[in-house]
Amino acid sequence: MGIKIGMLVVFFAVMIVVGFYCRKHSTDVRGFVLGGRAVGPWLTAFAYGTSYFSAVIFVGYAGQFGWKFGIASTWIGIGNAVLGSLLAWMVLGRRTRLMTQKLKSATMPEFFGKRYKSSSLKIAASLIVFVFLIPYTASLYNGLSRLFEMAFPGVSYSVCVIVMAVLTGVYVIAGGYMATAVNDFIQGVIMIIGIVAVIAAVLTQNGGFIEALNGLAEISATGNAPGAFNSFFGPDPLGLMFVVILTSLGTWGLPQMVQKFYAIKSEKDITKGTIISTVFAVIVAGGCYFLGGFGRLFTDKLSFAADGSIVGGFDAIIPTMLSGLPDILIAIVIVLVLSASMSTLSSLVLASSSTLTLDLIKDNIVKNMSEKRQVLIMRVLIVVFIAISAYIALNKDKLSAIADMMGISWGALAGAFLAPFMYGLYWKNTSKASVWVSFIFGAGIMILNMLFRGSFPLVLQSPINCGVIAMLGGLIIVPIVSIITKKPDKALTEEMFACYNKEVIVPAKKSLGD
């Protein structure tokens, strides 16, 4: 216990010191939200990766999909690295940085408002962000609770939630985006070291990699022959594909992820950031799902109900796998999951508070807000958002499984935003009407899934599968609606897209220039 508490105290102390050290970068809106658009490749790449992977991935997704797909769940981590990191940086990074600087937009809703010349779109997008980031945030605490119950028997879960919420709030409020980015880098290093150490320990417990694979080969489950869980694509390739698409392509439409591209400093940083982010995803995401793939080897340590379901649900699998590790490794895991959760939480609350302040309150509710007042309101809203999410988390008995909450949040946000954002960067004729249809379709189908899940076709009753349909549907809907509705003003779009053709050494669409 002394080892665990000691490592937590050091971890929290470093986070707070960084927060106050970075206060000088958060005196105005540009600095508080974007770090002055001068964040280097290592900080940006790690901020992207640590916002991507949290306790939701480590505890919820790795446990559930490792159990369902076996070692084939590693494909999810590979998809996250290739589609969710590498291609996201290549397709969105440069154009997002250029267009958002041209439009002077600091948030995704502000991008929609200025790109499509519609304040109502900006307001609608900010409401979608605020509403659907709440279940995502609550799921972070829920995942964390499972590990704390295993590592700190007798310590109140509510104390853990409050401590995490307060400390995250302190360093984000103090230092804004720059504090978040620096702490994300530190937390990312911890995550890399932690996941490698845990995988090595778990495999050693099972006689090494080959013996662990042989153990999986002998396991059969209802409807699956022995060997299904150590096969190349697992027992359910179609289900695996849906999870890969949601967790990988979904990042392209998440405001807390895309906003990282706003702050890139220069062209060379994009190239470095792409490589760093991809390698980070391979290690962390690939490692998490690879670890989860061996969950069935611990069946004898899990408790099962009369109907055959796991007591505590799929979220109990990873904590059970780790419960037999040495104290020092359990301490590392606790700091690992705290790092993952706090980095994601900080990105979520910063995205939500900046969106509400800049896109909803400014000019709509309060006119002529000074820079100082905008930053103050963002800091107040960070407190409000953290308090709401912590309250929900403290009522965790009412929460659904982590994976379901994550699916609803990602499906709604990416379903609403992915298509109009990407087409808005590349296609001049993307219409305002098509953006409205995408918003309504993406958020609407996920709300209906949440309220009337039993009425959906069986394959779409899963929030994950439904979220994939929301995203892919938007990619089809936006161009079709744009073709049949009123075209945007040509002069305005030409002026916006001129930012890509500014001559540096080559057109800016090829290089940001320095």
Side-chain angles (χ1 to χ4, degrees):
M1 187 64 71
I3 293 172
K4 298 170 190 172
I5 293 174
M7 290 184 70
L8 287 179
V9 169
V10 172
F11 172 74
F12 288 140
V14 171
M15 299 301 105
I16 299 302
V17 169
V18 169
F20 282 97
Y21 176 77
C22 293
R23 288 189 68 182
K24 60 186 178 182
H25 296 285
S26 58
T27 55
D28 58 13
V29 171
R30 190 167 176 261
F32 191 81
V33 178
L34 300 176
R37 292 189 190 267
V39 182
W42 284 91
L43 293 184
T44 301
F46 271 68
Y48 185 91
T50 53
S51 298
Y52 196 165
F53 310 117
S54 65
V56 177
I57 300 294
F58 187 76
V59 178
Y61 272 25
Q64 175 169 337
F65 300 127
W67 186 268
K68 288 184 175 181
F69 306 126
I71 197 65
S73 63
T74 307
W75 283 110
I76 305 172
I78 295 172
N80 292 172
V82 176
L83 181 57
S85 296
L86 177 64
L87 289 179
W89 277 75
M90 292 174 66
V91 174
L92 300 180
R94 182 177 291 108
R95 283 182 176 253
T96 297
R97 172 66 169 77
L98 289 165
M99 182 67 84
T100 56
Q101 184 177 31
K102 171 70 175 179
L103 298 177
K104 294 182 173 61
S105 62
T107 66
M108 184 177 273
E110 190 174 20
F111 169 85
F112 289 128
K114 292 185 175 180
R115 169 66 179 83
Y116 300 106
K117 300 299 179 183
S118 171
S119 59
S120 55
L121 271 180
K122 181 175 74 170
I123 293 171
S126 66
L127 291 174
I128 292 172
V129 169
F130 182 72
V131 169
F132 286 100
L133 282 185
I134 289 176
Y136 188 4
T137 307
S139 69
L140 299 178
Y141 295 107
N142 194 20
L144 195 62
S145 72
R146 304 286 181 169
L147 287 174
F148 266 96
E149 289 169 355
M150 176 268 292
F152 297 99
V155 176
S156 170
Y157 160 66
S158 60
V159 172
C160 302
V161 169
I162 293 169
V163 168
M164 174 181 163
V166 170
L167 292 174
T168 304
V170 167
Y171 81 71
V172 177
I173 290 168
Y177 181 84
M178 187 60 76
T180 299
V182 174
N183 276 329
D184 284 350
F185 178 78
I186 297 169
Q187 291 158 351
V189 172
I190 294 171
M191 289 166 68
I192 290 173
I193 295 171
I195 194 65
V196 171
V198 168
I199 290 172
V202 169
L203 290 180
T204 300
Q205 281 184 336
N206 289 278
F209 176 58
I210 300 301
E211 282 300 312
L213 277 182
N214 290 336
L216 281 181
E218 297 171 2
I219 295 173
S220 62
T222 305
N224 293 303
F229 296 106
N230 77 334
S231 61
F232 199 65
F233 290 117
D236 182 13
L238 182 62
L240 179 63
M241 182 184 71
F242 273 104
V243 178
V244 171
I245 293 173
L246 179 78
T247 61
S248 302
L249 187 61
T251 60
W252 296 35
L254 297 181
Q256 74 274 16
M257 301 294 294
V258 173
Q259 198 163 320
K260 301 295 186 289
F261 298 135
Y262 291 28
I264 297 171
K265 184 178 181 181
S266 67
E267 170 63 25
K268 63 179 181 294
D269 291 347
I270 291 182
T271 304
K272 291 180 182 177
T274 302
I275 297 169
I276 296 165
S277 178
T278 303
V279 172
F280 182 88
V282 168
I283 297 171
V284 175
C288 285
Y289 289 110
F290 177 77
L291 176 67
F294 295 99
R296 287 183 180 268
L297 296 179
F298 295 81
T299 301
D300 58 324
K301 296 183 179 180
L302 292 166
S303 299
F304 292 87
D307 61 359
S309 62
I310 301 171
V311 175
F314 293 116
D315 303 341
I317 294 173
I318 295 295
T320 299
M321 294 174 67
L322 303 177
S323 60
L325 297 180
D327 286 342
I328 185 67
L329 275 179
I330 290 179
I332 291 173
V333 169
I334 293 299
V335 176
L336 182 163
V337 178
L338 261 175
S339 298
S341 300
M342 290 178 70
S343 58
T344 304
L345 178 62
S346 63
S347 292
L348 295 178
V349 297
L350 190 58
S352 182
S353 65
S354 60
T355 289
L356 285 182
T357 302
L358 302 177
D359 305 325
L360 188 62
I361 298 175
K362 181 186 174 185
D363 297 331
N364 296 304
I365 298 175
V366 180
K367 305 292 184 181
N368 302 319
M369 289 174 64
S370 65
E371 289 264 328
K372 187 175 181 180
R373 192 174 186 187
Q374 290 174 50
V375 173
L376 175 62
I377 291 175
M378 279 189 272
R379 286 180 162 135
V380 171
L381 286 174
I382 286 171
V383 175
V384 171
F385 189 78
I386 288 179
I388 292 172
S389 62
Y391 174 78
I392 295 172
L394 290 172
N395 293 277
K396 69 187 182 76
D397 292 337
K398 299 177 183 177
L399 299 177
S400 60
I402 294 176
D404 285 351
M405 297 173 64
M406 179 88 157
I408 291 168
S409 177
W410 278 41
L413 290 166
F417 297 153
L418 189 158
F421 184 79
M422 187 176 72
Y423 284 118
L425 295 175
Y426 278 87
W427 191 31
K428 297 175 184 177
N429 289 330
T430 309
S431 70
K432 181 169 70 174
S434 72
V435 181
W436 275 116
V437 175
S438 181
F439 283 8
I440 294 168
F441 176 76
I445 194 173
M446 296 310 299
I447 291 173
L448 292 174
N449 178 272
M450 185 168 53
L451 298 176
F452 308 105
R453 187 164 299 163
S455 301
F456 275 62
L458 185 61
V459 70
L460 294 183
Q461 289 183 14
S462 162
I464 292 169
N465 295 356
C466 195
V468 171
I469 296 302
M471 289 190 297
L472 299 182
L475 292 172
I476 298 171
I477 287 170
V478 168
I480 291 176
V481 175
S482 294
I483 290 171
I484 62 177
T485 55
K486 182 181 177 181
K487 301 292 185 293
D489 184 279
K490 186 175 181 180
L492 287 175
T493 54
E494 289 290 345
E495 199 270 334
M496 290 178 195
F497 277 72
C499 67
Y500 296 147
N501 295 319
K502 174 187 174 183
E503 289 293 332
V504 277
I505 297 173
V506 294
K509 70 179 75 171
K510 301 288 186 183
S511 170
L512 286 177
D514 294 319

